[in-house]
Amino acid sequence: MTFETLGLHPSIIKALTDAGYTKPTAVQEQAIPAAIAGKDLLVSSQTGSGKTAAFMLPSLHKFASLPPAPAGTKTPNQEAQAARSRGDRPRFRAAQPKMLVLTPTRELALQVTTATDKYCGHMRRIKAVSILGGMPYPKQMQLLSRNPEILVATPGRLIDHMDSGKIDFSELQILVLDEADRMLDMGFIEDIEKIVAATPATRQTMLFSATLDGVVGNMAKRITNAPQIIQIAGSATKHENIAQRVHFVDDLSHKNRLLDFLLRDVTMDQAVVFTATKRDADTIADRLNIAGFAAAALHGDMHQGARNRTLDSLRRGQVRVLVATDVAARGIDVPGITHVFNYDLPKFPEDYVHRIGRTGRAGRNGVAVSLVNHAEGMHVKRIERFTKQPIPVDVVEGYEPKKTAAPARTGRKPGGWRPGDNRSGPPRAGSGNGGGRSFGAGKPGSGPRKEGSGGYKGGAARTDGARRSYGDR
């Protein structure tokens, strides 16, 4: 199947050809025709499967077929300029977008906006803008004054503009919730319900999520009308092109020394190190820089400008190790990322899948390593059950754990995990001799860190702050 056979507008086909798109992905093959037909959609598909094009291309096709605006119609920006020329005080008119895309993080919103600009490169009268937390309000007011047809936003900041009367959804035709499960995990459900209530009941709604069960499924039933359900692949995809393994660690000193060694693997190009807290992201990035790595932190407390600069440096290869919270688990597509390290395991198994999906993109191979405290053995088993595959336990010579995990209460199931397993050989070490260096950890055997230090207490990993990430408003 080709994009032409999907019935897309010729201007969109031309833009896709320019971008090097050859044929639609599985989710695009099913979602695009259904969306063009005007159906509401509930889509479950793995990360990196082409979901953005699956909802944006049919929407742009619909806008390309709209009749041109009547002669003499002015945009809010043109009206303001005319008022200034008359000596009048310009009056801001609320923007009236035709399409709204909600995303959980700023990075994903910017990625969707960039992709949209690429898809509509040969279309006139189509503007897409991002409204995000961390961006100055005057800049956002300038963007809204252009009365964009497509608005991509994070829920919190969008609510701010709605409450101040800067956005009017009376003309909205299409509503998209991208990564809906993640938005609910972050505590945005009340904001989402408020936004949905402000949109016309006649809108077309498309919801994309790793899972369509539970809270997501209940919300989907309330906001959609006779939706078509599309399930390409559950989020528990096996990621067969990603070599996954677990390393057990005794304490923080052991974990830091092992991470230092693994980051010196000569096969590594760029890596993302995931932490549970923002404080740890900053601390570990500083320690890695002292140890000689080109590292940078990324988390929700950073201003958007700083986050953009960090990601640009990562894409240019100036940053080799990105230390991040789950804000980077979705919406970041950097081909040079060959390794993902879970310094702390994620709270939810589905987030593990999204984390390791930062590597092995576009058919490339990748490596995902989890540094696991012995008390987290059951957490590993939950991830294995979710992904429906065992994660081999690995040991590096010279960095063997001295402690052992408590024995399981039940017998081992075939193909399951058991502490002490070593089903794959040690990783290839780099040529550097700093493998044994501890980059700022506490003394070996010093036990768990105190609560508030951003690490473990009693062996349990902390989550990244409150349920709602205000840094991504």
Side-chain angles (χ1 to χ4, degrees):
M1 181 177 290
T2 64
F3 285 103
E4 287 85 351
T5 59
L6 296 177
L8 292 169
H9 193 274
S11 63
I12 299 176
I13 298 297
K14 186 176 181 181
L16 293 175
T17 301
D18 293 345
Y21 286 45
T22 56
K23 62 179 182 179
T25 64
V27 66
Q28 293 162 7
E29 286 184 2
Q30 294 194 40
I32 290 176
I36 290 178
K39 297 181 180 180
D40 284 6
L41 299 182
L42 298 181
V43 183
S44 174
S45 182
Q46 68 185 58
T47 182
S49 61
K51 297 192 297 293
T52 300
F55 63 73
M56 193 57 70
L57 296 183
S59 302
L60 292 174
H61 171 84
K62 183 175 184 178
F63 298 149
S65 305
L66 293 176
T73 302
K74 297 180 179 179
T75 66
N77 198 30
Q78 290 172 331
E79 290 180 352
Q81 292 176 353
R84 293 189 186 96
S85 65
R86 295 192 303 268
D88 299 333
R89 183 177 179 180
R91 182 176 63 87
F92 186 90
R93 193 180 78 185
Q96 295 181 311
K98 293 180 173 63
M99 179 180 186
L100 171 64
V101 181
L102 291 177
T103 70
T105 66
R106 310 173 199 171
E107 282 70 30
L108 183 55
L110 292 172
Q111 181 176 303
V112 170
T113 305
T114 300
T116 303
D117 290 339
K118 179 169 55 179
Y119 301 150
C120 64
H122 295 282
M123 299 174 63
R124 296 182 179 180
R125 301 180 296 103
I126 300 296
K127 298 179 292 293
V129 301
S130 302
I131 299 299
L132 318 167
M135 181 186 294
Y137 276 92
K139 174 64 175 178
Q140 294 184 355
M141 296 296 292
Q142 182 182 8
L143 294 174
L144 292 174
S145 70
R146 300 167 56 191
N147 197 27
E149 286 75 19
I150 301 172
L151 195 62
V152 186
T154 51
R157 180 56 61 92
L158 182 64
I159 290 287
D160 292 344
H161 287 292
M162 289 173 56
D163 290 343
S164 60
K166 300 301 186 297
I167 298 175
D168 174 14
F169 288 129
S170 61
E171 301 296 323
L172 193 76
Q173 300 176 23
I174 301 171
L175 171 64
V176 177
L177 278 69
D178 196 10
E179 305 284 11
D181 55 326
R182 180 62 174 165
M183 284 192 283
L184 297 187
D185 287 345
M186 295 171 69
F188 282 125
I189 186 168
E190 292 183 0
D191 285 350
I192 292 173
E193 291 179 342
K194 181 175 181 178
I195 293 167
V196 171
T199 62
T202 56
R203 71 184 185 275
Q204 180 184 20
T205 304
M206 292 181 274
L207 182 147
F208 289 74
S209 175
T211 176
L212 299 177
D213 300 326
V215 178
V216 176
N218 293 334
M219 181 184 70
K221 293 177 183 178
R222 296 195 302 270
I223 68 175
T224 58
N225 179 28
Q228 177 171 328
I229 299 175
I230 299 174
Q231 292 182 309
I232 302 300
S235 64
T237 178
K238 289 191 174 183
H239 285 300
E240 294 179 353
N241 62 324
I242 300 176
Q244 303 173 52
R245 58 179 181 259
V246 164
H247 287 270
F248 280 95
V249 295
D250 295 327
D251 50 34
L252 289 170
S253 175
H254 186 195
K255 178 185 288 190
N256 288 335
R257 289 186 289 111
L258 182 57
L259 177 63
D260 179 286
F261 175 82
L262 296 173
L263 286 173
R264 298 179 189 276
D265 187 341
V266 295
T267 66
M268 192 190 85
D269 187 1
Q270 290 177 293
V272 180
V273 178
F274 283 103
T275 67
T277 67
K278 304 165 189 175
R279 177 182 294 181
D280 270 0
D282 285 329
T283 302
I284 294 171
D286 290 342
R287 291 171 178 171
L288 289 173
N289 277 304
I290 294 173
F293 297 96
L298 182 73
H299 54 72
D301 280 352
M302 298 169 60
H303 292 295
Q304 188 58 44
R307 287 164 70 164
N308 290 345
R309 288 190 295 272
T310 298
L311 289 175
D312 287 342
S313 297
L314 183 69
R315 294 187 178 99
R316 291 195 300 265
Q318 296 172 334
V319 169
R320 189 164 180 253
V321 182
L322 181 70
V323 188
T325 59
D326 277 324
V327 72
R330 310 186 190 203
I332 293 181
D333 187 358
V334 178
I337 296 175
T338 56
H339 289 60
V340 167
F341 295 90
N342 289 306
Y343 186 86
D344 298 311
L345 288 176
K347 183 176 181 181
F348 303 104
E350 54 265 33
D351 286 336
Y352 172 85
V353 175
H354 285 284
R355 283 184 179 188
I356 70 173
R358 295 312 97 200
T359 186
R361 309 286 288 185
R364 299 178 178 88
N365 294 325
V367 176
V369 179
S370 297
L371 307 180
V372 179
N373 186 281
H374 297 286
E376 296 177 297
M378 288 305 298
H379 200 157
V380 176
K381 293 181 72 68
R382 284 195 293 270
I383 293 172
E384 289 182 325
R385 286 195 295 268
F386 183 79
T387 60
K388 297 181 175 63
Q389 65 179 145
I391 305 175
V393 177
D394 207 353
V395 177
V396 178
E397 184 177 356
Y399 297 88
E400 301 89 344
K402 295 180 175 59
K403 301 177 183 178
T404 58
R409 294 184 180 181
T410 59
R412 178 187 178 190
K413 296 181 180 180
W417 163 88
R418 182 173 62 189
D421 280 355
N422 184 4
R423 291 175 238 166
S424 62
R428 294 176 59 186
S431 59
N433 60 1
R437 178 187 301 154
S438 174
F439 46 94
K443 296 180 179 179
S446 59
R449 286 186 287 181
K450 295 181 180 179
E451 183 73 21
S453 66
Y456 293 109
K457 183 176 182 180
R462 289 180 55 193
T463 57
D464 189 12
R467 290 283 292 173
R468 173 168 176 169
S469 174
Y470 286 91
D472 279 314
R473 298 184 72 248

